[in-house]
Amino acid sequence: MNTQYVKHLSDVVVRFSGDSGDGMQLTGTLFSDAAAVLGNGISTFPDFPAEIRAPQGTVAGVSGFQVHFGSRPMATPGDYCDALVAMNPAALKANAKWLKPAATVILDGDSMGGKELRKAGFATDDPIAELGLGEHNVVMPNITSMTRDAVDGLGLDARGAAKCKNMFALGICFYLYNKPMEHTFGYIERKFGKKNPAVAEANVRALKAGYNYSANTHIFANTYDVAPATALPKGTYRTINGNQATAWGFVAAAEKSGRPLFCGSYPITPATVILEELAKRRDMGVTTVQAEDEIAGICTSIGAAFAGSLAVTTTSGPGLSLKSEAMGLAVMTELPLVVVDVQRGGPSTGLPTKTEQSDLWQALHGRNGEAPMPVVAASTPSDCFHYAFWASKIALERMTPVILLTDGFIANGSEPWCIPSMSDYPSIKAPIVSELQGDCYYSYDRDPEVGARSWAIPGTPALEHRIGGLEKHQRTGAVSHDPANHQTMTELRAAKVVKVVGAIPTQEITLGDAEGDLLVVGWGGTKGHLFSAVEKLRADGRRVSLCHFNWINPLPRGCEEIFSKFKRIVVCELNMGQFAGYLRMNFQRFNFEQYNKVQGLPFTVDELTAHLHSLLK
């Protein structure tokens, strides 16, 4: 660690940006991992370009990765950055608006020529003056050429040598924030050591060169140190993103239920990683099918559910639309299925790499006929594990399809996760019937307490039964077109979902007092930003509280009592007011105000704080 001129900070936000081929996601991940290894709390925000092949050097092709690390758990990846690494002019132009006053800006001087500036849309040859960054600490080492010098003699061509420049930039940041390089050396060895030793050596050299360049040239007046987080509970931690956590939650549920896990899915941004992660787990009995389309994906999963598996299908908003008819089939057949919707900006193809919360109404109502389903929403990358487990438990024990909502922000973002003991999670007891009881098996006989029908696995002697999309007789499961029976079955399926309320926690205040001037309401992936904004206002003595929802349908008990104790209620969400409208339907006596954002970006704490403060005047 550099010990000269070290300033100690409680938290820091660093943003890495460059062309989509510059390795900024890897660079940010490795920096985050190094911070996490030292015990810092972290929260990350990968920001991918929306175009697959945007022209190189243009703003449309900029890829970013922001990490917030500190000496306490980090609730958000930060609004604005203390340091920006911009590998080309387009990255500088796209991200200059996210700089804090007097922030450090690290540029690749080799990329700041006239041609690159014109591609990025600069009108002059002085991007610093054009963007008004004169008050910032701008350093502009020739990163590309120094990287080529560092890897000279290893047999790499010019393009291969330049690909290591992200490691040079990472070395600069390791020096600036006093982070050790050993963890990254280990990653490089595991990634390239056996397959391509020259590439491994080149990346190590580039990393060391960036670190040593910073140390020897004194380009920074100070370096910075952030102490480890002390408020984290004891345990074994690893960094995890929301998609990984979701996949592992399903594996845990399969283990607890004793049922094989099946995932049938079609790849779609930003949900694909769940399928990829589950495909790695053949050693744990997981079966995955990469289907030819979204409809085939869910239909294979429904077939697996019929055959006795914990069945999962994963998608994003456009795919959820395509799966809607088959979800109705799962409702009609009353089979256990979890549909994961990693929400993104819409409609249609929309903003495929950007986050949004605009699929709520589709999740609640987007099927023909009366087809209610439980809906659950995760709030952070790590608690995707928890809610994937509980969505599976509800599906298996209540014999119903369940929708699990996450979003692009928490799916791609990462944070430290305390690996739980599976003894802390309850068992899952599906209503499987293994032998005939009585003279005949009636597939739609129900548990009167929870409303779930029994589950007879095909091939079980004497338990043959019919299943399909036509309406069922309320007991035998035979096809029925009787109007009164249809009314009864519709009511029974709805009542089964309502009874899920007995299996979920009573709603509580997430932060603050049980009464006050303003109640902030949110759901899903906005939790960290809302928590931070309310925390700031409470520190100023304002009577503000937060009530954050994870259980959407049915809504938990206790909501009305909470709402009744506040003078004003504002619902903050990344859509045009879908949860606010849902609450109005269910609690008509209350006035739910709205604060909405649909920019493909999460809230910032600053904008939330300003708006909430305006409501308190």
Side-chain angles (χ1 to χ4, degrees):
M1 176 186 290
N2 172 48
T3 57
Q4 190 175 13
Y5 308 118
V6 178
K7 286 189 174 181
H8 297 278
L9 302 175
S10 61
D11 66 298
V12 170
V13 178
V14 181
R15 189 173 182 91
F16 299 89
S17 61
D19 262 326
S20 57
D22 284 341
M24 292 296 98
Q25 301 300 323
L26 175 61
T27 308
T29 299
L30 291 175
F31 186 90
S32 303
D33 288 349
V37 166
L38 286 182
N40 293 136
I42 65 166
S43 177
T44 72
F45 175 40
D47 188 12
F48 301 98
E51 296 185 36
I52 296 174
R53 294 289 182 188
Q56 193 171 23
T58 64
V59 172
V62 171
S63 177
F65 188 104
Q66 186 159 300
V67 55
H68 188 190
F69 65 100
S71 54
R72 63 185 187 280
M74 297 289 102
T76 76
D79 290 355
Y80 301 95
C81 59
D82 298 280
L84 170 66
V85 176
M87 301 301 286
N88 62 14
L92 177 63
K93 187 167 189 177
N95 292 286
K97 62 186 176 182
W98 301 115
L99 289 168
K100 291 181 181 178
T104 296
V105 182
I106 302 168
L107 305 176
D108 180 4
D110 289 320
S111 73
M112 294 293 156
K115 181 179 178 182
E116 289 81 2
L117 291 169
R118 299 294 90 77
K119 274 188 181 180
F122 284 100
T124 70
D125 289 335
D126 188 350
I128 306 304
E130 192 169 330
L131 293 172
L133 303 181
E135 299 300 316
H136 291 76
N137 177 29
V138 180
V139 296
M140 203 180 305
N142 293 323
I143 291 176
T144 301
S145 57
M146 284 193 286
T147 300
R148 286 176 174 152
D149 290 342
V151 305
D152 188 40
L154 292 175
L156 301 182
D157 60 21
R159 183 179 179 185
K163 281 187 175 182
C164 300
K165 65 184 179 181
N166 63 325
M167 290 296 107
F168 193 102
L170 181 59
I172 294 175
C173 292
F174 278 165
Y175 175 82
L176 180 60
Y177 292 107
N178 284 296
K179 300 298 179 191
M181 294 183 284
E182 285 72 21
H183 183 270
T184 304
F185 292 155
Y187 169 84
I188 292 170
E189 177 60 29
R190 292 189 300 273
K191 180 75 173 176
F192 302 110
K194 292 183 179 180
K195 294 186 292 184
N196 199 328
V199 171
E201 177 62 21
N203 279 281
V204 169
R205 284 192 190 182
L207 184 65
K208 290 180 177 178
Y211 190 97
N212 293 332
Y213 166 80
S214 304
N216 294 332
T217 59
H218 304 289
I219 57 173
F220 302 113
N222 306 290
T223 62
Y224 303 93
D225 184 50
V226 177
T230 57
L232 293 173
K234 290 184 178 180
T236 301
Y237 284 81
R238 61 153 293 153
T239 56
I240 197 168
N241 66 41
N243 279 336
Q244 287 176 317
T246 300
W248 295 358
F250 290 134
V251 174
E255 180 182 327
K256 281 287 188 177
S257 66
R259 307 314 306 161
L261 177 59
F262 178 92
C263 178
S265 291
Y266 179 74
I268 182 173
T269 301
T272 306
V273 170
I274 304 173
L275 174 62
E276 293 172 343
E277 195 67 29
L278 288 174
K280 300 174 185 177
R281 295 274 68 91
R282 292 178 64 183
D283 59 322
M284 302 188 75
V286 179
T287 301
T288 56
V289 171
Q290 181 177 317
E292 65 269 28
D293 56 40
E294 295 283 3
I295 299 170
I298 188 172
C299 287
T300 59
S301 294
I302 291 173
F306 175 64
S309 294
L310 166 55
V312 173
T313 187
T314 59
T315 191
S316 190
L320 192 66
S321 301
L322 290 168
K323 293 180 189 293
S324 62
E325 182 181 3
M327 283 192 286
L329 175 62
V331 171
M332 178 64 79
T333 55
E334 300 188 49
L335 286 168
L337 170 73
V338 181
V339 181
V340 184
D341 176 19
V342 186
Q343 299 168 95
R344 72 189 204 188
S348 188
T349 310
L351 305 172
T353 63
K354 308 300 180 182
T355 197
E356 209 164 272
Q357 290 184 299
S358 54
D359 294 346
L360 179 61
W361 280 351
Q362 183 177 198
L364 289 167
H365 310 299
R367 295 165 291 282
N368 69 296
E370 295 289 340
M373 294 169 56
V375 178
V376 187
S379 291
T380 69
S382 62
D383 81 3
C384 287
F385 176 93
H386 180 79
Y387 288 105
F389 180 92
W390 276 93
S392 302
K393 182 175 171 66
I394 296 297
L396 287 166
E397 294 187 341
R398 305 304 175 106
M399 292 296 288
T400 179
V402 177
I403 294 180
L404 172 62
L405 296 173
T406 70
D407 58 58
F409 170 62
I410 61 173
N412 294 318
S414 59
E415 65 181 356
W417 177 52
C418 184
I419 300 173
S421 168
M422 288 316 297
S423 63
D424 296 333
Y425 278 80
S427 61
I428 298 176
K429 298 179 180 178
I432 296 174
V433 54
S434 57
E435 59 183 19
L436 181 63
Q437 297 176 353
D439 297 331
C440 185
Y441 173 60
Y442 296 113
S443 56
Y444 279 78
D445 270 348
R446 299 177 185 276
D447 179 332
E449 185 176 342
V450 300
R453 75 172 184 89
S454 60
W455 193 12
I457 309 303
T460 307
L463 300 184
E464 295 85 356
H465 60 284
R466 292 185 178 186
I467 200 166
L470 290 170
E471 183 60 282
K472 306 291 179 291
H473 183 272
Q474 60 186 279
R475 189 179 184 206
T476 66
V479 173
S480 171
H481 300 293
D482 177 63
N485 178 77
H486 177 55
Q487 175 86 32
T488 299
M489 287 297 286
T490 300
E491 292 171 351
L492 286 171
R493 288 188 290 263
K496 180 173 66 171
V497 174
V498 171
K499 288 178 179 179
V500 169
V501 76
I504 66 177
T506 300
Q507 185 65 35
E508 297 179 348
I509 293 290
T510 309
L511 174 64
D513 302 318
E515 57 183 310
D517 296 327
L518 178 65
L519 179 66
V520 180
V521 174
W523 66 278
T526 58
K527 182 179 181 179
H529 293 88
L530 294 176
F531 190 98
S532 299
V534 171
E535 192 174 45
K536 286 179 68 174
L537 288 168
R538 288 183 58 78
D540 290 336
R542 308 313 296 263
R543 299 178 69 239
V544 184
S545 297
L546 171 64
C547 182
H548 204 80
F549 285 80
N550 296 105
W551 300 97
I552 308 298
N553 189 37
L555 286 164
R557 293 160 295 184
C559 298
E560 189 162 4
E561 182 180 359
I562 291 172
F563 295 152
S564 67
K565 294 181 178 179
F566 289 86
K567 296 177 182 178
R568 298 179 75 173
I569 305 170
V570 59
V571 184
C572 304
E573 49 187 326
L574 300 177
N575 56 46
M576 293 301 289
Q578 294 183 22
F579 192 56
Y582 179 57
L583 291 177
R584 290 186 191 108
M585 290 169 57
N586 285 275
F587 305 102
Q588 297 182 21
R589 58 175 281 209
F590 300 107
N591 177 37
F592 295 98
E593 301 178 58
Q594 296 178 205
Y595 184 56
N596 305 109
K597 180 176 181 177
V598 281
Q599 299 177 16
L601 295 168
F603 285 119
T604 67
V605 176
D606 280 359
E607 68 191 0
L608 283 168
T609 305
H611 182 76
L612 299 178
H613 189 271
S614 72
L615 298 178
L616 292 164
K617 291 182 179 178

